[in-house]
Amino acid sequence: MRFLITGGAGFIGSHLAEPLLDRGDRVVLLDNLSTGSVENIRHLKSFPRLEYHLDNIENRQLLAELVDDADVIVHLAAAVGVKLIVESPVRTIETNVNGTQLILEAACKKRKLVLTASTSEVYGKSTNIPFREDSDLVLGPTTKGRWSYAASKALDEFLALSYWKEKKLPVIVVRLFNTVGPRQTGRYGMVLPNFVKSALESSPITIYGSGKQSRCFCDVRDTIEGLIRLMETARAVGEVVNVGNTEEISIEDLAHRVKGRTASSSLIEYIPYDQAYEPGFEDMLRRVPCVDKLHALTGFRPQISLNEIIDRVAEHFQQKIEGLEHPRVATASAD
Ligand code: UDP
C-alpha cells in the first residue's frame, strides 16, 4: 500500500510511518515543519520506501501529485496544542480548515480513502461522560479563543462527512484523546512532556488551575494501532470514531505520579489559568472516551498503562538530556 501522511514529521505522523515502513508499505510524508521536525523522522530515512517533502499543503500541484501516487491519505497536519491555539488563533483556524479542505478536494478527484484526525476537544464542556461519538458537542462562547480549535476541527469533521455523503469520497474521522509518547514536545503546552521534562530537570512541575481536572492519556503506539486497523475496516468509512485510553487521572495526581516515577526532587506548583493561558481561560474538567465503537469496528481497545507511558517518555527525555548535558540518571520507582 502507498500512504501519504500530512503532518508526517509530527509526533503522531512519525510514529505512524514506522510500522507502515516496517511491514513493507510505501510512505510519503508531507510536512511544513511548523510544529513537526526533521529530528522526528531522522531514524526513518534509511527506509528506501520513505519519501518526504518539506512543503505546504497549499502547494496544490505537489499535493495533486502526491495524492495521485497514494492509495490512502492520512491527514494529520494541523495546528495543535492549547498554548499555540491561544497564542495564534488565526493560524489555528486557517491551518485546520483550509488544510482539510485542500486535502478533501484533492482526494475527491481521485477517490482516495482519507483518514482525517480530529480531537476530543470537539466535545468541549460536555459533562456527559464518557464521550460517545453521537453525543452533543458543548462549546463555549466565540469570545473565548480556546474554543476556536474545537470549532475548527468540528468544521473539518462536517466537511469530511459531507464529502462522503455528497460526493462518495471514502473518509474516516478519528477523534484522538490526549495522545502521548516519546518525541512529543512540550513546547505547545502538552502536559505530560512538560511534567516529565520538569521532573528530570528538577525544576517546578506546574499545575494549571486546581489540578482537579482530569484526562485520559493514550500511548501513541495504541493510537497508531487504532488508526491502522480502522483504515483496514470497510465499515469505518463515513464514521467518526474515538481513539483513546479510558484510564482517567487528575492533573494533580499526574504531577505526583510523574514525580514519583522519576524519583524527582521537583516542587509541585499551582498556577492560575489566567496566568498560564489568558484571562478568562476555560478548561475542560473531564475528558473520557467511550471506545466501544472502535472496539466494535476493529476488535481493539487502547490499553497501555499510564505508568508504562510515563517511563518511556522519561527514558526518551533522559536520553535527550544525556546527549546534551550528562545530568544525573533518574530511576523509576515501581508503584
Ligand atoms: N496543564 C498543566 N500544566 C502544564 C500543561 C497543562 O496543568 O504544564 C493542564 C492543562 O491546563 C489541562 C491539562 O493539563 O487541564 C491537559 O493539558 P494539555 O494541553 O496537555 O491537553 P488538553 O487536554 O487540555 O488539550
Side-chain angles (χ1 to χ4, degrees):
M1 291 275 275
R2 299 166 304 168
F3 290 85
L4 168 62
I5 306 177
T6 72
F11 160 57
I12 299 177
S14 65
H15 278 279
L16 174 61
E18 267 174 50
L20 297 177
L21 288 165
D22 268 341
R23 71 181 197 186
D25 289 318
R26 199 177 140 229
V27 176
V28 178
L29 309 177
L30 176 61
D31 201 301
N32 66 2
L33 299 186
S34 56
T35 55
S37 80
V38 174
E39 201 50 51
N40 284 341
I41 55 169
R42 198 177 295 283
H43 64 295
L44 300 175
K45 287 186 185 172
S46 54
F47 282 98
R49 289 177 306 279
L50 174 81
E51 183 183 316
Y52 65 95
H53 298 265
L54 304 181
D55 211 323
N56 288 309
I57 287 179
E58 286 85 7
N59 183 342
R60 282 170 185 256
Q61 199 177 333
L62 174 67
L63 185 63
E65 280 174 36
L66 299 184
V67 165
D68 207 18
D69 281 347
D71 301 307
V72 180
I73 297 134
V74 184
H75 179 45
L76 301 174
V80 290
V82 179
K83 272 235 151 66
L84 179 66
I85 284 139
V86 168
E87 281 160 17
S88 314
V90 172
R91 181 172 150 206
T92 301
I93 299 167
E94 289 184 351
T95 305
N96 292 351
V97 179
N98 295 345
T100 304
Q101 193 195 339
L102 287 167
I103 290 294
L104 293 169
E105 203 178 86
C108 195
K109 290 195 181 116
K110 304 284 175 176
R111 285 273 182 286
K112 300 289 172 76
L113 173 66
V114 178
L115 179 139
T116 188
S118 184
T119 165
S120 54
E121 273 269 329
V122 297
Y123 291 102
K125 296 189 278 189
S126 171
T127 51
N128 197 0
I129 299 283
F131 294 153
R132 302 176 58 92
E133 292 85 349
D134 53 2
S135 301
D136 285 345
L137 311 182
V138 186
L139 302 190
T142 52
T143 45
K144 295 196 190 288
R146 185 215 174 113
W147 303 115
S148 65
Y149 177 52
S152 69
K153 293 307 264 184
L155 187 56
D156 284 353
E157 292 194 16
F158 277 123
L159 199 57
L161 296 172
S162 304
Y163 264 89
W164 165 239
K165 193 174 160 200
E166 194 179 319
K167 299 175 188 282
K168 288 288 159 272
L169 173 72
V171 299
I172 302 168
V173 176
V174 288
R175 290 183 178 158
L176 306 183
F177 283 69
N178 293 79
T179 309
V180 288
R183 298 204 293 273
Q184 183 179 39
T185 167
R187 208 174 305 140
Y188 308 106
M190 281 77 163
V191 68
L192 189 73
N194 274 316
F195 279 7
V196 172
K197 190 161 179 280
S198 300
L200 293 178
E201 290 171 346
S202 306
S203 47
I205 297 175
T206 53
I207 295 174
Y208 301 160
S210 69
K212 302 290 180 225
Q213 71 274 27
S214 69
R215 295 293 187 270
C216 297
F217 296 92
C218 186
D219 189 295
V220 66
R221 291 169 297 171
D222 271 344
T223 306
I224 294 316
E225 178 74 27
L227 302 194
I228 292 175
R229 287 187 187 222
L230 283 168
M231 286 189 274
E232 291 165 350
T233 305
R235 284 186 306 135
V237 169
E239 298 292 338
V240 177
V241 187
N242 289 338
V243 179
N245 192 310
T246 52
E247 183 185 349
E248 187 179 12
I249 187 167
S250 74
I251 297 303
E252 195 170 45
D253 287 349
L254 179 71
H256 288 282
R257 181 90 69 98
V258 167
K259 183 174 150 114
R261 292 197 78 78
T262 54
S264 168
S265 60
S266 289
L267 295 173
I268 293 180
E269 292 179 350
Y270 291 78
I271 298 183
Y273 283 125
D274 286 12
Q275 275 174 40
Y277 297 107
E278 63 180 355
F281 179 83
E282 285 184 328
D283 202 359
M284 298 167 74
L285 276 183
R286 291 182 71 196
R287 195 192 267 173
V288 184
C290 169
V291 285
D292 291 351
K293 188 168 177 181
L294 174 68
H295 186 252
L297 285 168
T298 66
F300 175 72
R301 286 178 198 276
Q303 50 205 347
I304 297 173
S305 74
L306 183 57
N307 284 349
E308 185 178 336
I309 294 172
I310 293 171
D311 293 351
R312 283 184 84 235
V313 171
E315 197 182 314
H316 167 76
F317 274 115
Q318 193 63 42
Q319 282 165 0
K320 260 183 98 169
I321 297 169
E322 273 165 8
L324 298 171
E325 297 160 17
H326 310 288
R328 73 182 174 87
V329 175
T331 47
S333 65
D335 71 33

